[in-house]
Amino acid sequence: MSINASGILVEAAELRIVELPLLTPFVISTCTMTAKTFPLLSLKGEDLEGIAEGVMDPAPDYLEETIVGATTFLKQQLLPSILGKTFSSPYELQDYLTPWRGNHMAKAMLEMAFWDLWSKSLNIPLKSALGGVREKVDVGVSLGIAPIDKTLARVESALDEGYKRIKLKIARGHDVEIVNAVRQAYPHIHLTVDANTDYSLSDIAVLRSLDEFQLDYIEQPLGFDDYHDHAHLQSLLNTPICLDESIRSANDTRKALQIRAARVINIKVGRVGGYASARAIHDVSAAFDVPVWCGGMLESGIGRAHNIHLATLSNFSKPGDTSSASRYFTRDIINEPLEAIDGCMSVPLHGPGIGVTLDTEYLDTVSSNVEHISPT
Ligand code: OSB
Ligand code: MG
């Protein structure tokens, strides 16, 4: 295959909505998910296809972006403006996307699909294009809100499977008791909690009482747009705060870390606008000596594969959320199962790019609104 030295001409795109039922409803402080619904984008060029999924939800209950909003923006503006153009690298595409404000999840879909396409055109794994240093990545599980007995059973089975960290979703009124029960049963495991913004500084007494459980970190206790109060809270806690929702860019990260609003950073490539941004966040965090880890959004195998490649970068030094796809779905939309072994996910290398392939036959049965978009 010849490589076009001037770059990749993006010839066409396909956008669809995919809905996969979840094996178990996933409950967090802001909502309950019974299915994983997401937009899937394919970018075509050089007789190749780059694929990525979006992490926005049907409703704006994690961050502001929604599936309807993001797909409309993609179809009406982003895709028409890049189709028929040549980009020499994903960095050039990222610069091209900069004038559009916000919309990091929509832009990430495009940028991530282009990274896949670009690394396929170079015939190298995405991990190599990114500069990753590992063959496999450490992973833990994220357990939705559930009664204590059910949670203890889920913790036990996750530990039996070898997962390296347990993250418990918490919410006001569902916190100290459940954390205490898990910590009593397992005094030595890596244990974390994620509040998905449910608390405010008026909950300071409860948040302080979490300090006694030797948690690795408390994820996003306060508002999604609030470094100021997180900095105050961090000054009152021994446990590190980890920011998830609040971090959308490297600049956000610098500002948050300068005022000591966190001591750990969760990176979701789909949340922060793509790999160029994810890598910049990774590097800024490293400069502050702050570890990062790779978050998840209940992704299908496509998003899961992207996450694993990203997590091979050197400062991803805590276990991520990319656990086995079979914990979420009866059947995935890719041909190569992504399953953790002893708490490790191997980087998928079934071909260049993201290293997994779509099970197109099954995909079609769980798709709607399939649209083919060509240059206008
Ligand atoms: O805050 O990390 C989060 C899932 C949906 C929305 C937000 C979050 C999560 C998770 C699940 O924690 C991570 C995963 O298992 O993919
Ligand atoms: Mg989180």
Side-chain angles (χ1 to χ4, degrees), residues 62 167 169 194 196 219-220 244-245 266 268 293:
Y62 165 77
K167 157 167 141 183
K169 290 289 188 181
D194 186 357
N196 290 104
E219 187 174 341
Q220 197 70 39
D244 172 353
E245 282 91 331
N266 166 329
K268 293 175 182 168
W293 58 276

Side-chain angles (χ1 to χ4, degrees), residues 51 116 119-120 124-127 301-302 305-306 309 334-338 346-358:
I51 306 160
D116 182 31
S119 42
K120 282 170 175 163
I124 58 174
L126 178 55
K127 171 200 153 192
I302 295 296
H306 275 282
H309 283 270
I334 58 170
N335 293 307
E336 308 80 6
L338 289 177
S346 292
V347 180
L349 297 169
H350 312 274
I354 55 173
V356 296
T357 57
L358 282 172

Side-chain angles (χ1 to χ4, degrees), residues 138-142 154-155 157-166 189-190 319-328 338-345:
D138 287 348
V139 290
V141 294
S142 173
R154 287 177 181 170
V155 172
S157 85
L159 294 171
D160 285 348
E161 288 171 49
Y163 285 107
K164 299 201 167 157
R165 169 275 270 153
I166 304 290
I189 59 170
H190 287 286
D321 271 347
T322 314
S323 56
S324 298
S326 62
R327 294 186 58 250
Y328 307 79
L338 289 177
E339 297 295 299
I341 298 171
D342 295 332
C344 291
M345 268 287 191

